[in-house]
Amino acid sequence: EELLIVMTIEEIIEKASVVLAEEFEIDPETITPDASLKDTLGLDSLDFVDVVVLVEQHFGVTLTGPDFVGIVTFKDFYELLNRKINGE
């Protein structure tokens, strides 16, 4: 029986911010809902693979390329995680 962990959007935001700040060695203060995910983290295409791995490790959900279409800001990213985690 699979245990589904429900997280609130606040919990997702808090955890994702910490994980991303640590992984990409940036100041957590620069991670704001309206900030550009790509620019803030300095992502290139290979780094997106790291993001996918991080999400799998910390949130137990798998993201694919198409999931990132239209994901510009951290808010977009958090909402994507929320949909994946809570199945909305």
Side-chain angles (χ1 to χ4, degrees):
E1 187 173 320
E2 196 178 344
L3 181 66
L4 291 176
I5 300 165
V6 176
M7 297 177 77
T8 65
I9 188 78
E10 290 80 16
E11 288 170 331
I12 291 169
I13 290 170
E14 191 177 329
K15 186 171 178 179
S17 300
V18 170
V19 167
L20 292 171
E22 283 179 0
E23 177 71 16
F24 292 96
E25 297 175 354
I26 57 167
D27 183 349
E29 298 290 312
T30 62
I31 298 180
T32 61
D34 297 327
S36 161
L37 186 71
K38 194 173 177 187
D39 294 344
T40 305
L41 299 179
L43 295 180
D44 59 31
S45 53
L46 287 175
D47 291 323
F48 276 103
V49 175
D50 292 338
V51 173
V52 169
V53 171
L54 282 176
V55 168
E56 283 185 2
Q57 287 175 337
H58 294 275
F59 295 96
V61 293
T62 304
L63 300 179
T64 59
D67 290 326
F68 285 99
V69 173
I71 303 296
V72 177
T73 65
F74 284 95
K75 184 173 189 286
D76 296 335
F77 182 64
Y78 300 144
E79 287 173 353
L80 167 63
L81 288 179
N82 190 40
R83 287 194 302 274
K84 287 280 184 178
I85 292 165
N86 296 316
E88 290 167 16

